[in-house]
Amino acid sequence: MNPSARIEIDAPIAVVWRVVLDTDAYDEWNPFVVRAETAQPPAVGNPIRLHVRWANGGRTTSPERITAIEPPTTSPDGTTTALLSYVYEGLPSRLGLVRGVRHQRLSQAAGCPTVYDTVEEFRGPLVRLAGPGRVADGFRRHAEALRLRAEALRTE
C-alpha cells in the first residue's frame, strides 16, 4: 500500500535536483503537484503546502513539513545520491488515522542516467481512504514530467 514511481532521466543529477527543489516553478511542469508553497529556499523544518491535481481533475491541498534535504553527495564508489522528504500533517495524521512520509530519492552512477525514485510510506487504520492507487498514478505523472523538464534543461 505504499505508492511509488521510478524513472530514469537522461540528465545530470545536479539538474534533476535543481528541478526538484525549485518548488516555485512546479506550476510550469508538474501535472500532479501543481503548486508547492514553502519558504525559499526550501529547508528542513519548513511547512510545505502541496496543491495536488488528481488524474480525474479533482484537486486537494495537503499540508506537509520538510523532514530531509540531502543535496547530491558522491560516495567512494562514485554513486551520487540526493534526498527530499516530507511528512503529512493534515487532520487525519494528527488523529493517528493516516500517516504518510514521502521520499524523493535521486541516484546516479558515473556515466549513467539519473534514477528518480519516490515512495509514500503510509500507515494507519484509514490508509485505504487516502487513495494509494490515485497517489501512485500521480507519482507516475510527476516522475514523467520531471524527466521531461530535467532533460529539456540539461543543456542549459
Side-chain angles (χ1 to χ4, degrees):
M1 272 225 215
N2 289 335
S4 64
R6 176 184 175 100
I7 198 163
E8 288 188 357
I9 301 172
D10 188 17
I13 194 169
V15 171
V16 182
W17 181 246
R18 189 171 68 238
V19 173
V20 168
L21 282 190
D22 187 5
T23 56
D24 282 348
Y26 276 24
D27 65 333
E28 297 173 13
W29 64 270
N30 195 327
F32 180 54
V33 179
V34 295
R35 195 165 86 214
E37 300 171 30
T38 190
Q40 294 298 315
V44 171
N46 284 3
I48 183 168
R49 180 171 292 282
L50 306 178
H51 297 264
V52 172
R53 182 182 307 138
W54 304 113
N56 68 4
R59 294 176 178 254
T60 192
T61 302
S62 183
E64 314 268 342
R65 184 161 308 273
I66 298 172
T67 57
I69 296 179
E70 299 173 8
T73 304
T74 303
S75 66
D77 73 359
T79 301
T80 304
T81 59
L83 173 70
L84 171 64
S85 299
Y86 39 82
V87 61
Y88 174 63
E89 290 189 330
L91 181 61
S93 177
R94 292 192 305 272
L95 296 174
L97 302 173
V98 176
R99 298 190 188 267
V101 178
R102 182 174 182 191
H103 302 287
Q104 296 181 73
R105 292 181 175 89
L106 302 177
S107 62
Q108 185 175 36
C112 295
T114 298
V115 176
Y116 170 79
D117 277 301
T118 187
V119 64
E120 181 87 24
E121 297 174 347
F122 276 131
R123 64 186 195 284
L126 297 184
V127 166
R128 285 187 330 277
L129 298 180
R134 69 183 179 165
V135 172
D137 173 74
F139 286 0
R140 286 188 295 274
R141 292 184 294 120
H142 179 132
E144 176 60 20
L146 174 62
R147 182 188 68 76
L148 293 172
R149 177 74 167 198
E151 290 178 354
L153 295 175
R154 73 177 168 231
T155 58
E156 291 184 8

